[in-house]
Amino acid sequence: MLIDPFERHVSYLRISVTDRCDFRCVYCMSEHMTFLPKADLLSLEELDRLCSAFITLGVKKLRLSGGEPLVRRGIMTLVKSLGRHLKTGALEELTLTTNGSQLARYANELVDYGVRRINVSLDTLDEANFVAVTRWGKYDKVMAGIEAARAAGLRVKINTVALNGVNDGEIENIVRWCGEKDMDLTFIETMPMGEIDGDRSAQYLPLTEVRERMAKTWTLDENDHNSGGPARYVSLRETGQRVGFITPLSHNFCESCNRVRLTCTGTLFMCLGQEDAADLRAPLRESADDAAVIAAIREAIARKPKGHDFLIDRTSAGAAVPRHMSVTGG
Ligand code: SAM
Ligand code: SF4
């Protein structure tokens, strides 16, 4: 088992399988990004080996992310091979976070390989707004992707980043739409990660305001549902719908953190909001035997910090960490 210095059991690994993406969401990336040279990426076989080492060490849940995980060439080979750990029971859940653009193509295969639930990031239901937020996204394609995922039997959770001046007028609409389609919904506060083109403090919309807007239409009851993650939930009394809030800034959730994040180059970040990281690529390539990589993972977990130091206000300049969310997959 992987236990960190604060007695937290690390049982969840998120893997950014590529830093590339077919969108350029305004809060995530700048329009002109410099991506990693392909030669620096771990192969899909190496990613499988690393994930499998984590599973040996007691990791029960894997989430593929990115960049956009479904644009990595051959990604289904990795999903399929990781699926073998579901069959043995060593792994409890294999899932992914996606922008939905490739779901129409891959939804059935995901189900075939054991994926049961996915998160789709969608910040607006207004097509023009969608283009403004994602810059390169195709709204119809994402909507078709979401429908394909539902038709394939995947449970879909929508993640919506609350953005001042962008989707603050759509909160009610998004909640209703998810309710109608029986999809879970979580709102997320924007986090200061990586340089973007605009001013982050102008985009930041505290979820307290989202709650206030929702409370004008529904009665919000605190819900003690615990998904094992950072979200806190409310139930809408009138509809029974559950809505989550991830509030890294207005409420810090680090004390129960059970996760670490692996980049596509084999760097392990023990905290989303801190810079300390461990290189797993060198020990992985050192030998075909996993002893060195397992030792490196244990050593890294022993350094997992207590929490992040995110702060967005008009006096704090720039990003809290220089890397973009796409490096560690959120
Ligand atoms: N491309 C996939 C997607 O959009 O779902 C997976 C990667 S994306 C980096 C993962 C999640 O991080 C998305 O829900 C996205 O909205 C969120 N995200 C990206 N940058 C963020 C930021 N600066 N603050 C908060 N959430 C962010
Ligand atoms: Fe791409 Fe996801 Fe970042 Fe949007 S949030 S640019 S879809 S990685």
Side-chain angles (χ1 to χ4, degrees), residues 35-156:
F35 292 113
L36 292 163
K38 290 209 170 119
D40 286 2
L41 262 58
L42 293 185
S43 67
L44 294 171
E45 293 74 16
E46 287 174 318
L47 281 172
D48 181 276
R49 229 185 106 197
L50 272 183
C51 291
S52 302
F54 275 95
I55 293 168
T56 307
L57 291 167
V59 161
K60 296 286 178 207
K61 177 169 170 179
L62 295 182
R63 178 178 296 276
L64 306 181
S65 185
E68 175 46 42
L70 297 180
V71 300
R72 169 113 192 218
R73 188 167 302 165
I75 186 65
M76 284 301 138
T77 328
L78 179 65
V79 178
K80 184 177 184 185
S81 70
L82 291 174
R84 74 189 184 280
H85 296 297
L86 293 167
K87 290 189 184 142
T88 65
L91 186 65
E92 285 169 10
E93 185 168 41
L94 175 60
T95 181
L96 84 161
T97 299
T98 173
N99 64 24
S101 69
Q102 311 297 316
L103 274 177
R105 180 170 169 203
Y106 289 128
N108 286 320
E109 259 185 287
L110 289 170
V111 172
D112 289 346
Y113 302 145
V115 176
R116 295 289 169 260
R117 298 193 302 167
I118 57 169
N119 288 357
V120 179
S121 306
L122 182 72
D123 303 319
T124 170
L125 290 170
D126 176 274
E127 184 164 359
N129 228 358
F130 181 86
V131 175
V133 175
T134 63
R135 292 191 183 107
W136 298 0
K138 301 268 184 293
Y139 182 77
D140 290 343
K141 220 172 160 190
V142 169
M143 287 298 152
I146 292 172
E147 286 314 319
R150 297 174 67 229
L154 287 165
R155 179 98 194 131
V156 176

Side-chain angles (χ1 to χ4, degrees), residues 174-176 178-180 183 185 234-236 239-243:
I174 295 171
V175 171
R176 271 192 218 285
C178 288
E180 280 159 20
M183 298 189 294
L185 167 65
V234 295
S235 304
L236 313 193
T239 64
Q241 195 181 342
R242 193 173 61 207
V243 177

Side-chain angles (χ1 to χ4, degrees), residues 263-327:
T263 73
C264 56
T265 56
T267 302
L268 186 72
F269 283 92
M270 286 74 83
C271 173
L272 183 62
Q274 302 282 356
E275 293 213 57
D276 186 28
D279 173 38
L280 300 183
R281 181 170 56 182
L284 183 79
R285 290 184 175 170
E286 194 179 290
S287 102
D289 177 272
D290 283 342
V293 83
I294 285 182
I297 294 171
R298 286 194 188 284
E299 197 270 330
I301 300 299
R303 306 204 302 266
K304 183 166 161 62
K306 195 165 180 195
H308 67 68
D309 305 313
F310 287 147
L311 179 69
I312 295 189
D313 63 35
R314 288 179 191 280
T315 54
S316 60
V321 287
R323 62 179 188 278
H324 290 90
M325 191 70 106
S326 47
V327 173

Side-chain angles (χ1 to χ4, degrees), residues 237-253:
R237 200 178 297 168
E238 292 78 3
T239 64
Q241 195 181 342
R242 193 173 61 207
V243 177
F245 298 97
I246 299 183
T247 55
L249 287 115
S250 58
H251 175 89
N252 187 311
F253 47 60

Side-chain angles (χ1 to χ4, degrees), residues 150-164:
R150 297 174 67 229
L154 287 165
R155 179 98 194 131
V156 176
K157 177 161 87 73
I158 299 293
N159 281 343
T160 300
V161 177
L163 297 162
N164 201 19

